[in-house]
Amino acid sequence: MENEDDSRATTYTTLGAGSDFRHELEIRRSRFITVLRRSPDEETARSLVSDLRREFHDARHHCSAFVIGPDRMIQRSSDDGEPSGTAGIPMLEALVKRETTPGVTDLSDVSAVVVRYFGGVLLGAGGLVRAYSESVSAALDSASLVQRRRLRLCAIEVPHAEAGRLENELRSAGYVMAETGYEARHTILRVALPDDEAAISEAHSRLASLTAGTLELRLQGTDWVDVPR
């Protein structure tokens, strides 16, 4: 498995956290039900296929594709009984070649399954390629995407009574807030910063200004954080 800590990439795009995204197309009487799932590892990606085989147990095909890791090193696809090269590869290309911003193709940690109910009309190889590619592309059009950034996490120990105000002020100043922790005497606010000296120095100064120098920013490790697009 790709080690995210050793990744050359510092940003990539993925699905927003939460429920699976679903979209259905009917093409010449066949139903193509596409389900997208945020998948940080192969186990999660493969579980989507298993889940949909149970849910749509009477469907003829459950074709799949996934791309995983900040550098997109893990890429797999399956035609699941469709003619070779007409389903899984077009689906994978729809994921890998998706432009998340003009000229940028960085979609990752995404698995896609297209469930097909055959409608009795043969589509031919070219028709199948277009149908499976279009199914994934249409699902991505309706899905919520977020940017993942590798950021430096910094912690601030804040008295409980002041935590809400400080968090709001940091958010208003444009800082990305990571997971909040709670201890007996303090709330631990975590700020995710670009991992460079200028950004960290500016954050120290901003915190000193907001708290009259009473609180400190403690540097921690790096982590991948969702940032709204």
Side-chain angles (χ1 to χ4, degrees):
M1 179 176 177
E2 182 178 358
N3 188 334
E4 293 189 348
D5 292 335
D6 295 333
S7 168
R8 295 185 300 274
T10 57
T11 66
Y12 66 97
T13 300
T14 190
L15 296 176
S19 302
D20 298 338
F21 295 90
R22 297 192 174 209
H23 187 273
E24 181 171 343
L25 290 177
E26 182 174 324
I27 301 174
R28 299 184 68 185
R29 303 204 317 227
S30 282
R31 293 174 63 200
F32 292 85
I33 304 166
T34 303
V35 184
L36 305 176
R37 176 174 291 177
R38 179 161 165 168
S39 303
D41 50 52
E42 289 194 58
E43 181 181 0
T44 305
R46 296 186 189 283
S47 72
L48 178 59
V49 180
S50 301
D51 292 347
L52 295 179
R53 286 192 188 281
R54 287 191 294 270
E55 180 177 352
F56 300 102
H57 57 86
D58 56 341
R60 179 171 291 193
H61 304 286
H62 302 77
C63 304
S64 60
F66 58 82
V67 55
I68 293 173
D71 295 309
R72 311 202 298 174
M73 297 294 290
I74 301 173
Q75 300 181 15
R76 305 281 188 272
S77 66
S78 168
D79 294 312
D80 192 42
E82 293 282 28
S84 179
T86 64
I89 290 176
M91 291 171 60
L92 182 60
E93 288 185 346
L95 296 175
V96 171
K97 295 182 179 180
R98 179 73 175 193
E99 288 195 4
T100 56
T101 56
V104 176
T105 54
D106 67 346
L107 185 68
S108 193
D109 286 2
V110 178
S111 56
V113 173
V114 177
V115 178
R116 183 189 180 194
Y117 283 92
F118 180 55
V121 178
L122 295 175
L123 300 182
L128 286 172
V129 169
R130 287 189 296 273
Y132 280 100
S133 177
E134 181 181 347
S135 294
V136 173
S137 294
L140 288 170
D141 287 342
S142 63
S144 172
L145 301 180
V146 297
Q147 188 178 67
R148 295 273 284 169
R149 292 184 190 171
R150 188 171 61 198
L151 300 175
R152 169 71 65 174
L153 295 182
C154 303
I156 310 168
E157 289 189 358
V158 190
H160 295 305
E162 299 177 24
R165 174 193 63 80
L166 181 59
E167 180 175 358
N168 287 336
E169 289 180 334
L170 290 170
R171 287 187 187 277
S172 297
Y175 287 97
V176 176
M177 304 304 295
E179 183 179 3
T180 299
Y182 300 94
E183 297 182 352
R185 305 175 103 183
H186 297 94
T187 297
I188 309 298
L189 296 181
R190 291 186 173 86
V191 184
L193 303 171
D195 193 19
D196 64 69
E197 292 185 7
I200 293 170
S201 177
E202 193 279 334
H204 277 292
S205 299
R206 178 62 64 96
L207 180 63
S209 175
L210 292 174
T211 65
T214 59
L215 299 179
E216 295 183 353
L217 198 68
R218 291 190 290 107
L219 299 184
Q220 300 183 317
T222 59
D223 198 3
W224 289 90
V225 178
D226 285 4
V227 180
R229 293 167 56 82

